[in-house]
Amino acid sequence: MAQKITVRPLSKTAFVGFGDVIETRGAEQRIINDGTTTRFHDLAGIDVAGDGGRPLISIFRGQPFAYPVEITMMERHPLGSQAFFPLANRPFLVVVAPDEDGRPGTPQAFLAACDQGVNYAKNIWHHPLLALDVVSDFLIVDRGGAGENLHQHNYSGEPFLIIE
Amino acid sequence: MAQKITVRPLSKTAFVGFGDVIETRGAEQRIINDGTTTRFHDLAGIDVAGDGGRPLISIFRGQPFAYPVEITMMERHPLGSQAFFPLANRPFLVVVAPDEDGRPGTPQAFLAACDQGVNYAKNIWHHPLLALDVVSDFLIVDRGGAGENLHQHNYSGEPFLIIE
């Protein structure tokens, strides 16, 4: 029978070991521009420079998913981090897994709030983009450059089911 | 008497020489994630690695301005590009100027649509963040690292007035 995984709220504490939660909460604040701007400073560890890599800004337009979301595979980027921030002012799903001898273990699912992004650390297993309910755009900062930067793994057996 | 400058719509054509317009229009599209995501690929030239720099992701929270917007100064970042993308789904003002012997010339003003960002190229004169009407958040990709990365210049005489 398919294993059900209940989604949890995304927080820095819950996401330890997988990368960064990109959010203003708890961030270093700098008042700049003659007092007209607050800078929430340096919210993610961008790690893309190895092996001749360079940072890219792209926009991802994700088709929507709905609960229960079937998880049959995971991927990881061995050469660079990958940051996602929602532009649609909507929550989205973040699914990651610990590595177990070169394969993803049991998935963990988080609901990112509309004002939270994530930065998957280099080589962390994660599911491709999971927008919810409506087509949604995201701003992405990841790695460009030569090299094989994608590993994918299909789980054997029944899909995992992400439920609310 | 103050010189009035009428805002123009932001477009790649109008912004030539100042940096990048970050938008899906006209971008290279890649269908990824088993068809569930469109990647609008590599939308800005991130140029932050010189002099030991590294890319940062930050969030800027800008206080709102309203027309006519007074322009009394400009700034530039000699060591790195600086990208802004709106998170508030609202238009914002982009004000830049050509360099004239190390000082900013007459400003040019553009209205960025709610789904357009900008990336100021290294050393391009621009005005600090100009949100419109309401407090608005922006995702920023710019440079961290040692070095003096800020030049500011105060215009002499009357402020320029940006009008609709």
Side-chain angles (χ1 to χ4, degrees):
Chain A
M1 206 173 83
Q3 185 176 339
K4 290 176 180 162
I5 294 164
T6 303
V7 70
R8 292 181 288 157
L10 181 66
S11 69
K12 286 187 170 76
T13 305
F15 206 61
V16 164
F18 297 115
D20 308 293
V21 177
I22 302 171
E23 61 181 354
T24 58
R25 278 174 290 276
E28 176 189 343
Q29 295 186 33
R30 300 179 178 183
I31 307 300
I32 61 172
N33 297 345
D34 202 23
T36 63
T37 303
T38 302
R39 179 182 177 117
F40 299 91
H41 182 68
D42 194 8
L43 305 177
I46 304 181
D47 179 11
V48 299
D51 295 302
R54 64 187 177 90
L56 300 181
I57 294 179
S58 301
I59 291 174
F60 282 12
R61 179 162 295 160
Q63 296 299 312
F65 291 75
Y67 295 108
V69 177
E70 287 197 356
I71 303 295
T72 63
M73 59 79 69
M74 299 287 267
E75 67 181 34
R76 61 180 178 179
H77 306 299
L79 300 180
S81 59
Q82 187 176 43
F84 291 75
F85 204 93
L87 300 176
N89 203 28
R90 296 187 57 87
F92 67 104
L93 266 184
V94 172
V95 178
V96 291
D99 183 72
E100 296 181 353
D101 299 322
R103 295 183 298 189
T106 301
Q108 299 184 32
F110 301 100
L111 186 65
C114 57
D115 60 354
Q116 289 179 313
V118 291
N119 183 47
Y120 299 118
K122 187 161 68 178
N123 225 24
I124 290 295
W125 291 110
H126 60 276
H127 194 274
L129 182 60
L130 292 168
L132 290 172
D133 299 330
V134 299
V135 175
S136 305
D137 284 359
F138 295 79
L139 201 75
I140 310 299
V141 179
D142 63 2
R143 179 187 182 276
E148 180 45 66
N149 192 23
L150 179 62
H151 287 176
Q152 292 176 307
H153 179 84
N154 292 310
Y155 287 112
S156 58
E158 297 253 346
F160 296 95
L161 289 182
I162 309 297
I163 60 172
E164 284 187 276
Chain B
M1 206 173 82
Q3 184 176 341
K4 291 176 180 161
I5 294 163
T6 303
V7 69
R8 293 181 286 157
L10 181 66
S11 69
K12 286 187 170 76
T13 305
F15 205 61
V16 164
F18 297 115
D20 307 294
V21 177
I22 302 171
E23 61 182 354
T24 57
R25 278 174 289 276
E28 176 190 343
Q29 295 185 33
R30 300 181 178 182
I31 307 300
I32 60 172
N33 297 345
D34 202 21
T36 63
T37 303
T38 302
R39 179 181 178 118
F40 299 91
H41 182 71
D42 195 8
L43 305 177
I46 304 180
D47 179 11
V48 299
D51 294 303
R54 64 187 176 91
L56 299 181
I57 294 179
S58 301
I59 291 174
F60 281 14
R61 180 162 294 161
Q63 295 299 312
F65 291 75
Y67 295 108
V69 177
E70 286 197 357
I71 303 295
T72 63
M73 59 79 69
M74 299 287 266
E75 67 180 34
R76 61 179 178 179
H77 306 298
L79 300 180
S81 59
Q82 187 175 44
F84 291 74
F85 203 93
L87 300 176
N89 203 30
R90 296 186 58 85
F92 66 104
L93 267 184
V94 173
V95 178
V96 291
D99 183 72
E100 295 181 354
D101 298 323
R103 295 184 299 190
T106 301
Q108 299 184 31
F110 302 99
L111 186 66
C114 57
D115 59 354
Q116 289 180 311
V118 291
N119 183 47
Y120 299 118
K122 187 160 68 178
N123 224 26
I124 290 295
W125 290 110
H126 61 275
H127 194 275
L129 182 60
L130 292 169
L132 290 172
D133 300 329
V134 299
V135 174
S136 304
D137 285 358
F138 295 79
L139 201 74
I140 311 299
V141 179
D142 63 3
R143 179 187 181 275
E148 180 45 69
N149 193 22
L150 179 62
H151 287 176
Q152 291 177 307
H153 179 84
N154 293 311
Y155 286 111
S156 59
E158 299 253 345
F160 296 94
L161 288 182
I162 309 297
I163 59 172
E164 283 186 277

